[in-house]
Amino acid sequence: MTTRRKFLTTGALAGAASLATPAVVRAQAPIKWRMQTYAGAALGEHVVKPAVDAFNAIANGQMEIELFFADQIVPTGELFQAMQSGTIDCVQSDDDSMASPTEVTVFGGYFPLGLRYSLDVPALFTKYGLKAIWEEEYAKVGVKHISAGSWDPCHFSTKDPINSLKDLEGKRIFTFPTAGRFLTQFGVVPVTLPWEDIEVAMQTGELDGIAWSGITEVYTVGWSNVTNYFLTNNISGAWIGHFFANMDRWNEVPPHLQKLLETCFEQSHYYRQHWYWAGEADLRINGGKLQLTTIPDAEWATVEAAAQTFWDEIAAESEVKAKVVEIIKKYNDVQVKAGRPYRYT
């Protein structure tokens, strides 16, 4: 016969087992992702590590991202292929550097003279429709486009002073593929090297300069130790960078963790907005190592005019590229007509 004592004992054990079930779920192995960034370790401390650390902490053991810096798993130029195949789960890069096969690749990194300020990037993606275009193009190749954000402007940091366009002729410059393609008309010789080799290449004379960043990165990563001059003219006011993921791996992640990834990456974009903005001005004045040079506005107008021609050449390559160029033109037209502080004419 079932006694009251036996009933209570059996019920208590059953209750304890049912209460313990969530603990068993929490104890399951977390989702593991490997993520590689375009940035070396010194730069990665600012542009990506805080976001990864925040995500890992808030995910509370449900998911963990292991972060790798530039070229640690694969060379930067192979990042897309590695992500598409699943060798890497997540990537932080621009489209151009990782050799993306999409129609929008040419706009990644520094699209010549397309942007004036860092806020232009989120404005174009969220208000002018670029986000939808990027998502569609990457979905076609099995990659999730998570978000886009802005980095620093693109200036020249060189051994010798640049005071005119003529001074650029014959200079071997480490830069992005599309920027290099544009700059060849001014005599620049684009050079592609692993990110971690740039400082040594400057010391050995393999490079004459760098057109890969603003002054904040030049100081942060140590390039200010191997260059002497910083050109205040830039070929783009902001770098367009992104977070991507292998689509299958993304779809395996529960919705609440997908949202957490998006939120942490958006916070990363915000951090860079103020980190770069403050550094670009402060280090020009207080950096102490680099001497500033400037190409006069009247002469630099030649570069700006050449950029407009370059845009049209890109637009002629495909319907998607034409659509993006049209959006960039429309956006810049609005900014110019709005005047200060949006555009200084």
Side-chain angles (χ1 to χ4, degrees):
M1 296 178 61
T2 302
T3 65
R4 181 173 180 275
R5 178 175 294 178
K6 287 181 179 179
F7 177 80
L8 290 174
T9 302
T10 303
L13 290 172
S18 63
L19 289 173
T21 301
V24 173
V25 173
R26 286 195 298 270
Q28 291 178 350
I31 299 168
K32 297 271 191 177
W33 269 18
R34 297 203 303 172
M35 174 181 181
Q36 184 171 313
T37 175
Y38 73 96
L43 181 60
E45 285 289 330
H46 291 279
V47 301
V48 66
K49 191 174 183 295
V52 171
D53 289 346
F55 175 84
N56 287 341
I58 302 171
N60 197 29
Q62 296 180 42
M63 182 171 174
E64 294 178 6
I65 298 175
E66 185 178 7
L67 178 62
F68 296 87
F69 297 110
D71 306 316
Q72 285 190 331
I73 300 178
V74 297
T76 297
E78 298 176 14
L79 278 176
F80 178 85
Q81 290 181 333
M83 173 174 54
Q84 189 183 44
S85 68
T87 302
I88 298 172
D89 305 299
C90 186
V91 164
Q92 180 199 44
S93 178
D94 68 282
D95 318 72
D96 208 14
S97 297
M98 70 176 188
S100 165
T102 68
E103 288 293 319
V104 295
T105 295
V106 71
F107 303 103
Y110 294 115
F111 188 62
L113 280 300
L115 305 166
R116 185 66 63 89
Y117 304 119
S118 60
L119 280 174
D120 292 341
V121 176
L124 279 163
F125 273 81
T126 61
K127 298 297 183 181
Y128 278 72
L130 293 193
K131 180 177 175 59
I133 295 174
W134 257 251
E135 288 178 347
E136 182 178 353
E137 289 304 304
Y138 277 96
K140 293 176 183 177
V141 291
V143 168
K144 167 67 178 177
H145 176 263
I146 301 174
S147 67
S150 59
W151 274 249
D152 50 341
C154 185
H155 294 259
F156 288 84
S157 183
T158 57
K159 287 182 178 178
D160 300 323
I162 306 296
N163 294 299
S164 69
L165 291 178
K166 186 173 179 59
D167 292 335
L168 289 174
E169 293 180 4
K171 293 293 189 295
R172 295 160 297 179
I173 303 294
F174 171 65
T175 190
F176 293 84
T178 299
R181 173 181 167 183
F182 172 70
L183 291 170
T184 54
Q185 64 189 293
F186 303 104
V188 169
V189 180
V191 178
T192 301
L193 292 170
W195 193 91
E196 294 287 0
D197 294 346
I198 304 311
E199 186 170 347
V200 173
M202 288 295 303
Q203 292 172 316
T204 61
E206 187 177 355
L207 289 174
D208 300 306
I210 301 161
W212 202 83
S213 70
I215 201 168
T216 304
E217 286 192 18
V218 172
Y219 275 87
T220 299
V221 305
W223 292 340
S224 59
N225 299 323
V226 293
T227 56
N228 303 312
Y229 298 91
F230 181 82
L231 181 66
T232 60
N233 310 77
N234 66 54
I235 61 172
S236 177
W239 189 71
I240 303 177
H242 311 266
F243 288 95
F244 305 94
N246 175 282
M247 186 68 80
D248 290 337
R249 293 308 307 274
W250 172 264
N251 290 335
E252 293 170 1
V253 174
H256 73 288
L257 291 177
Q258 290 179 347
K259 179 59 67 175
L260 181 58
L261 280 166
E262 292 172 345
T263 301
C264 289
F265 292 159
E266 284 298 323
Q267 178 64 24
S268 175
H269 297 321
Y270 172 69
Y271 174 90
R272 285 189 306 278
Q273 286 275 356
H274 59 76
W275 182 65
Y276 278 122
W277 182 259
E280 294 304 305
D282 178 66
L283 289 169
R284 287 191 188 193
I285 306 305
N286 302 312
K289 294 180 179 180
L290 300 179
Q291 183 176 332
L292 305 183
T293 64
T294 301
I295 296 175
D297 289 345
E299 188 175 2
W300 191 252
T302 304
V303 180
E304 294 174 340
Q308 295 289 328
T309 301
F310 184 79
W311 293 3
D312 291 336
E313 292 172 359
I314 296 299
E317 294 178 354
S318 75
E319 291 184 8
V320 173
K321 291 177 182 177
K323 185 176 181 179
V324 175
V325 168
E326 185 59 31
I327 289 173
I328 291 174
K329 284 184 175 182
K330 178 182 178 181
Y331 176 78
N332 276 281
D333 182 59
V334 169
Q335 302 297 296
V336 170
K337 288 178 179 176
R340 298 171 185 266
Y342 298 95
R343 291 292 184 267
Y344 291 80
T345 57

